[in-house]
Amino acid sequence: MPMTEKEYNGNLLDQISLLEDIERVAKKINCQEVLDEIEFKRNQINRKLYQKPPLINE
């Protein structure tokens, strides 16, 4: 079933929330490699989330 843009954006925001949870633990144990990967993934997600133009025209 096709996904609406609102659902897609919701999924991307859920992914960001997961990264924030993992980041909290990585900071606690001071794991720089994990923090670097989190930043890389966050940039990928933000690029999709804030794309111009949006997926659909309103």
Side-chain angles (χ1 to χ4, degrees), residues 1-2 9 15 21-22 24-27 33 39 46 52 54:
M1 176 183 287
N9 288 344
Q15 290 177 20
D21 294 343
I22 296 166
R24 186 171 26 93
V25 175
K27 284 181 178 178
E33 292 85 2
E39 186 61 30
N46 283 333
K52 297 291 180 196

Side-chain angles (χ1 to χ4, degrees), residues 6-40:
K6 185 175 181 178
E7 291 170 325
Y8 183 68
N9 288 344
N11 288 337
L12 293 173
L13 291 171
D14 288 343
Q15 290 177 20
I16 290 174
S17 293
L18 288 171
L19 289 177
E20 290 170 344
D21 294 343
I22 296 166
E23 182 179 34
R24 186 171 26 93
V25 175
K27 284 181 178 178
K28 217 181 265 190
I29 62 172
N30 197 27
C31 188
Q32 190 58 46
E33 292 85 2
V34 173
L35 292 170
D36 292 343
E37 187 65 22
I38 289 169
E39 186 61 30
F40 179 76

Side-chain angles (χ1 to χ4, degrees), residues 35-50:
L35 292 170
D36 292 343
E37 187 65 22
I38 289 169
E39 186 61 30
F40 179 76
K41 295 306 284 181
R42 181 179 284 126
N43 288 336
Q44 288 180 324
I45 294 167
N46 283 333
R47 190 169 48 245
K48 293 175 189 176
L49 187 59
Y50 300 113

